[in-house]
Every structure is written in C-alpha cells, then in structure tokens.
Amino acid sequence: DVKVTQSSRYLVKRTGEKVFLECVQDMDHENMFWYRQDPGLGLRLIYFSYDVKMKEKGDIPEGYSVSREKKERFSLILESASTNQTSMYLCASSFRIADEQFFGPGTRLTVL
Amino acid sequence: AQSVSQHNHHVILSEAASLELGCNYSYGGTVNLFWYVQYPGQHLQLLLKYFSGDPLVKGIKGFEAEFIKSKFSFNLRKPSVQWSDTAEYFCAVGRGLTGGGNKLTFGTGTQLKVEL
C-alpha cells in the first residue's frame, strides 16, 4: 500500500514567517508534487519534482520554493508567509509523470 | 495550456437517484483520465482511471465513467447513489505517459451532497 505522509495536519503561522511543509512517500516513486486546494478552485499545482534535486514550476509557484534532497522526501517552503497562502496543501507522488497520483492527508495552513 | 472543466460545481441528490458528473478537457492527443474522490476529512483517493482500451471504465463503489474521444469527455456515473457518496469529486487529465509536460491537470471539483 502506497503511503504518503505529511508532517502536520494543521499549522498556524504568522505573516512573514518561514514555513516548511514536509512530505514523505514510501513507494520509491520518481515523481512528487505539491498542490494547494482552495474552495471553488480545485487543485492547483505549485511545484513538482521528477528526480532528486530536480524540480519544475507548476501553475502557481510564486511565493514558494521546494527542495528534494532524497528520493522519498519533498519539501515545500514558504519563504515569507502571507495571509493569501492560507490554504490546504496536498502532497502527492506517482511512478510515472502522468500516472495515478497518491495523495497525502493534507496540511491545513493558516497564516495570521 | 491544457484545461479540464467540471461544469457542475454543486449537486444535491436524494438517495437512490442516478448520478452523472461531467468532465471535459481541451487536449486533442492521447490522454490518461482519472476521477478522484475526497470524502469529508479524508485524503484524495482514486475512483477509476482510463489509459486505453474499453472506453467504459468501472471503478470502486459502483462508479463508472465513459471516455468519449469525439466529445473530449470523461463523465462519471453511478446508477443509484448512497448517502455515503457525499464527497467532492475531481476529474484529472494527463497527456500520455512520458515527459515533464504531461503532469496531471485537475478540474475545479464537484461537491456532491446526497440527502436521505
């Protein structure tokens, strides 16, 4: 059973703080993804990674960066959190880039 | 850029009613098609997928979807919904199997509420 875990279910941060969201998958998947989920907007891709140290921008990368130092771990970084980054953040992984993605439980981030 | 449209944003049905949720996409080439479901408080999980072959795909919990290439559609159906089907449903489309440009694009989701 593929498992994707995220470091926190709920997180509250203040404007300007640096925020790290961690994601770990245990199925040796090449590809990992970060999305944000907002009501009425569905899932929007922030960044994805197709190999260790490799990353590509998604549809809404502004204000975010990512890190993938190990195959199983993909981190999302908010360099200076802002209130408009309050959202649900979902991590996913897949074997091939356009294959089925397996999702983590999500981190609900609130920026005050 | 590829787009995925889910025209029904909110759907309310009574138990035992039939369900059809629309999904249309813009890409004209080979596609991989998915329906995901998110039950309240749970993570996204796969309902069904289509890569090739029989365009009528059966998934879990009695759901099915039909790929109609000429209409660029992949509509989700269930003949008789249950209260436990209350959830948000997302359609997703990927272009082929290789290349970084072929990541999945998700629709905006359809919130289904099934009333007793």
Side-chain angles (χ1 to χ4, degrees):
Chain A
D1 226 18
V2 176
K3 199 160 186 182
V4 180
T5 57
Q6 296 183 229
S7 51
S8 308
R9 290 301 301 271
Y10 300 93
L11 210 52
V12 179
K13 295 291 181 181
R14 298 217 172 267
T15 302
E17 280 193 79
K18 191 168 185 175
V19 181
F20 292 87
L21 303 183
E22 305 284 337
C23 175
V24 177
Q25 52 94 5
D26 66 359
M27 280 301 290
D28 203 34
H29 282 169
E30 302 289 336
N31 305 287
M32 296 188 75
F33 308 82
W34 275 107
Y35 296 90
R36 62 177 284 176
Q37 182 181 11
D38 299 288
L41 297 178
L43 276 68
R44 293 180 292 166
L45 183 65
I46 304 171
Y47 268 96
F48 69 100
S49 168
Y50 50 90
D51 201 351
V52 175
K53 296 190 187 294
M54 305 304 289
K55 61 187 180 186
E56 280 198 27
K57 293 180 180 179
D59 301 316
I60 52 164
E62 296 78 19
Y64 303 94
S65 61
V66 290
S67 172
R68 192 164 181 205
E69 297 296 319
K70 293 184 178 181
K71 191 174 186 179
E72 68 271 17
R73 189 178 296 270
F74 192 35
S75 303
L76 180 69
I77 302 153
L78 287 66
E79 295 289 341
S80 177
S82 63
T83 54
N84 62 12
Q85 293 178 309
T86 290
S87 186
M88 172 70 86
Y89 290 87
L90 300 179
C91 176
S93 71
S94 70
F95 177 56
R96 291 172 295 198
I97 194 73
D99 207 347
E100 173 189 356
Q101 292 182 14
F102 296 85
F103 284 84
T107 296
R108 185 166 294 284
L109 172 67
T110 301
V111 182
L112 301 175
Chain B
Q2 177 173 271
S3 66
V4 179
S5 299
Q6 292 183 243
H7 307 294
N8 315 102
H9 299 295
H10 291 90
V11 174
I12 301 174
L13 294 172
S14 298
E15 266 205 329
S18 64
L19 170 72
E20 181 158 3
L21 301 183
C23 174
N24 289 90
Y25 60 91
S26 61
Y27 181 65
T30 301
V31 289
N32 300 334
L33 301 162
F34 306 84
W35 275 98
Y36 284 84
V37 61
Q38 188 175 34
Y39 298 103
Q42 296 189 26
H43 63 273
L44 272 152
Q45 54 188 286
L46 185 73
L47 264 183
L48 47 80
K49 62 184 177 184
Y50 171 81
F51 284 7
S52 63
D54 188 343
L56 185 61
V57 180
K58 296 199 182 297
I60 61 171
K61 305 189 181 188
F63 286 91
E64 64 178 30
E66 185 174 13
F67 169 49
I68 304 180
K69 190 173 182 179
S70 61
K71 295 185 177 181
F72 299 90
S73 71
F74 190 55
N75 291 355
L76 181 70
R77 300 195 293 246
K78 186 171 184 178
S80 175
V81 295
Q82 300 173 303
W83 178 81
S84 57
D85 293 324
T86 294
E88 191 160 17
Y89 294 80
F90 293 93
C91 179
V93 179
R95 293 183 294 168
L97 293 175
T98 60
N102 296 332
K103 59 193 183 298
L104 300 191
T105 299
F106 283 80
T108 53
T110 296
Q111 190 73 50
L112 171 66
K113 182 178 180 182
V114 180
E115 296 179 331
L116 294 170

